[in-house]
Amino acid sequence: MTRPRVTEIGLSAGKRARLHRILHEHGLRNGTGLFLPYDQGLEHGPRDFAVNPAASDPRYVLRLAVEGGFNGIVLQIGLAEKFAWEYAGEVPLVLKLNGKTDIPPDDAALSPLHASVEDAVRLGADAVGYTLYVGTPSAEADYAQLRRVRTDADRLGMPLIVWAYPRGWVVAEKGGKDSFYQVDYAARVASELGADVVKVNFPHPEKHTGVPEEYRHPVEAQEAIDAVVRSANRTLLLVSGGSRTGDEAMLDKARMAMEAGATGLIFGRNVWQRGHDESLRFVDRLREILAKYPS
């Protein structure tokens, strides 16, 4: 499937310039993207660093981003202010504008804002990230926050990456947060609401309890991710690595995503929840896959 190009999706000059810098002046410089998210300290807490305590140091992960040739690193406002300046110009910054802890349940999930697009401009970021919980009972507040962020991003020429995550008590009753139905719906919602780039989890078509009839028939994993990319249409799509699993499973996911027409990958725990040298070897294998899909 042909992936949309930055020059073909109707972006303003500022957004186009920043996305060009991310996708064509960093990483493989071939229009694909490999991003390193490091917002898990807020979202999951320090437990994510237990397997590799070195990763609790933001400088360690920033150095990995530079050494691994990533197209961008994702940071929350506090870490961006305290650490990103040391690597300014070496790896693009994606400033995450909202986030929450995983202490309360996700029954009515809402990720509050704690940074602004103006902060991103001040810090030299090339994109901003916003988590949208598709299916949450708190949708009215969530959409209102996103509208403010989108308006500011449009005004300041800042690309908007939407983490489109199905959440809420009803999501569990309709396939679950990573079912094909929910992920496909989330990709479409992000596109409909104005995302320039959407981040989604890889869909699981075998999870179909309670889903609409159209999603109950047997579908291969490749067919499912193909459909999710189609639902995103002219919104560039990144596939998340999620929690750490076996390397071959992650590489298969990466291959299928790129074959479907995804713009790239956003793998965090699967990279930095391992030793330094092992991380870079795994990143090299991801880059080998991305190299086969220039745009």
Side-chain angles (χ1 to χ4, degrees):
M1 186 180 298
T2 302
R3 62 187 44 78
R5 297 181 179 180
V6 170
T7 56
E8 301 171 342
I9 55 178
L11 297 174
S12 68
K15 289 190 176 191
R16 181 171 169 178
R18 287 184 169 96
L19 277 177
H20 184 276
R21 186 156 55 235
I22 290 172
L23 298 175
H24 293 279
E25 296 179 20
H26 290 273
L28 291 170
R29 295 173 167 81
N30 69 346
T32 64
L34 180 59
F35 295 83
L36 187 64
Y38 190 58
D39 58 339
Q40 292 88 349
L42 171 61
E43 297 287 344
H44 309 148
R47 63 184 170 88
D48 272 2
F49 310 129
V51 67
N52 180 22
S56 65
D57 181 356
R59 290 168 296 182
Y60 173 88
V61 176
L62 276 156
R63 285 195 297 270
L64 269 182
V66 174
E67 293 171 19
F70 281 81
N71 296 80
I73 186 166
V74 181
L75 297 175
Q76 295 282 354
I77 181 71
L79 299 190
E81 290 182 332
K82 293 178 177 68
F83 295 95
W85 60 270
E86 295 184 56
Y87 300 87
E90 297 185 65
V91 60
L93 170 64
V94 178
L95 184 66
K96 193 72 189 306
L97 302 185
N98 65 338
K100 69 172 188 62
T101 72
D102 71 352
I103 297 171
D106 281 339
D107 292 352
L110 178 66
S111 187
L113 284 170
H114 40 68
S116 67
V117 181
E118 286 83 357
D119 288 324
V121 173
R122 172 175 58 84
L123 292 167
D126 281 313
V128 294
Y130 180 91
T131 295
L132 176 71
Y133 288 131
V134 179
T136 179
S138 303
E140 183 176 358
D142 207 351
Y143 291 177
Q145 285 189 159
L146 177 59
R147 181 183 178 185
R148 293 197 299 273
V149 169
R150 188 188 71 243
T151 299
D152 288 344
D154 288 345
R155 175 171 57 85
L156 295 170
M158 184 66 67
L160 172 59
I161 305 175
V162 171
W163 274 234
Y165 286 169
R167 292 293 189 275
W169 65 267
V170 74
V171 169
E173 298 181 1
K174 294 185 176 182
K177 61 186 181 182
D178 58 354
S179 66
F180 175 27
Y181 164 62
Q182 295 289 353
V183 174
D184 197 28
Y185 207 155
R188 184 69 188 205
V189 168
S191 181
E192 297 269 357
L193 294 181
D196 301 309
V197 184
V198 58
K199 174 193 177 188
V200 297
N201 287 313
F202 197 89
H204 288 263
E206 74 278 8
K207 297 182 177 182
H208 46 67
T209 301
V211 304
E213 182 178 353
E214 292 82 356
Y215 291 87
R216 294 177 193 165
H217 58 278
V219 173
E220 297 295 326
Q222 186 66 65
E223 295 176 86
I225 189 61
D226 288 349
V228 172
V229 172
R230 285 196 301 272
S231 291
N233 49 79
R234 285 190 168 180
T235 298
L236 308 181
L237 186 133
L238 303 175
V239 170
S240 171
S243 58
R244 186 177 174 187
T245 57
D247 286 4
E248 294 307 318
M250 287 294 100
L251 294 168
D252 285 344
K253 179 189 298 187
R255 291 187 192 96
M256 286 188 282
M258 298 309 296
E259 187 66 28
T263 294
L265 310 168
I266 180 163
F267 281 22
R269 286 168 287 175
N270 281 279
V271 172
W272 47 256
Q273 280 186 336
R274 61 179 84 205
H276 175 273
D277 293 348
E278 186 186 351
S279 294
L280 293 180
R281 286 194 295 269
F282 179 64
V283 169
D284 283 343
R285 298 183 72 184
L286 293 174
R287 286 166 58 90
E288 289 173 4
I289 293 170
L290 294 179
K292 299 176 181 178
Y293 296 93
S295 62

